[in-house]
Amino acid sequence: MSRRRRLLVLVSGAALAFATASVPAVAASTNAAAHVLSHAHNASYSSNWSGYAETGSGYTSAQATWTVPSVSATSNSTYSSAWVGIDGDGNSNLIQTGTESDYTNGHAEYSAWWEILPAYSVTISGITISPGDSITASVAKSSGSKWVISLKDNSTGKSWSATKTYTGPGQSAEYVQEAPTVNGSQAAVAHFSTFSFSGLTVNGANPGLVSSEKIILRQNGINYSTPSDPNSAGNGFSVSYTG
């Protein structure tokens, strides 16, 4: 599985999570290696992803709505990202957008971002994210190698979209709660509140999720982030911190 990549920016000698930095971190470097899933008990396991992934070919759009989870205090910095994207499961390409819920520097931090690997994620300025906000986000191919990335905070009415160049193969679509890579290292998972993904679409249609597509985030033998079975319509699920 491809990893979402974050960079800590040094400002006046103090380390600030890029999600709150005034200058987006966009420097490219070698893409982190994709994690191979293990399979057991009708589910898959990953050290950085939890949620659901559809795999195949010809994926040109994905959309999801979710509630931004809150995070509780931890002794060390912890991170979590909720997002929707295309590619990344089984290849090193990925176009995605989502929200961040972290506990770092002694307080919780929330933000919105977009990313196209192998570049680092970029903060979406102009949208203030708060826990409990309803977010609708999508990535969609428009023509050729042009894709539209969109994110709206339904609770505040603020929205953002941009057209970017992306040339990935379109072999998977994901709805994920992730422990991202921070400064090249796997981050510890934030203690986030249970929240739901809903209204999921792939190529404009219901993805028809099934429980066997479930991905559980496991680190050092512990399941830290676990999705529920899909809802009866197959277009939604919840995610819980279980560490």
Side-chain angles (χ1 to χ4, degrees), residues 126-153:
I127 298 182
T128 300
I129 301 296
S130 300
D133 285 358
S134 169
I135 303 295
T136 298
S138 65
V139 294
K141 186 176 183 178
S142 56
S143 63
S145 60
K146 299 300 182 183
W147 287 64
V148 177
I149 307 173
S150 302
L151 186 142
K152 181 178 181 180
D153 188 323

Side-chain angles (χ1 to χ4, degrees), residues 45-47 189 216-226 241-243:
Y45 296 89
S46 167
S47 66
V189 187
I216 298 170
L217 195 160
R218 174 180 286 181
Q219 295 178 355
N220 301 316
I222 299 173
N223 295 342
Y224 281 98
S225 181
T226 303
Y241 177 81
T242 52

Side-chain angles (χ1 to χ4, degrees), residues 18 48 107 117 119 138 140 165 178 185 232-233:
F18 110 92
N48 59 320
H107 61 277
L117 291 180
S138 65
T165 299
E178 180 178 8
S185 298
S232 58

Side-chain angles (χ1 to χ4, degrees), residues 66-114:
W66 65 87
T67 303
V68 177
S70 60
V71 291
S72 56
T74 50
S75 57
N76 298 314
S77 293
T78 52
Y79 302 85
S80 65
S81 307
W83 55 266
V84 61
I86 294 287
D87 287 324
D89 188 345
N91 62 60
S92 59
N93 301 279
L94 185 58
I95 181 171
Q96 55 184 161
T97 187
T99 57
E100 196 75 12
S101 298
D102 303 333
Y103 191 86
T104 183
N105 300 317
H107 61 277
E109 296 179 353
Y110 303 92
S111 63
W113 52 268
W114 65 272

Side-chain angles (χ1 to χ4, degrees), residues 166-234:
Y166 178 67
T167 57
Q171 294 176 342
S172 62
E174 298 87 24
Y175 320 95
V176 167
Q177 171 74 346
E178 180 178 8
T181 296
V182 178
N183 275 2
S185 298
Q186 174 66 66
V189 187
H191 295 192
F192 60 90
S193 60
T194 297
F195 71 102
S196 295
F197 284 90
S198 63
L200 308 183
T201 66
V202 60
N203 291 358
N206 187 328
L209 302 181
V210 295
S211 58
S212 61
E213 296 170 327
K214 182 186 303 183
I215 303 168
I216 298 170
L217 195 160
R218 174 180 286 181
Q219 295 178 355
N220 301 316
I222 299 173
N223 295 342
Y224 281 98
S225 181
T226 303
S228 69
D229 288 339
N231 62 15
S232 58

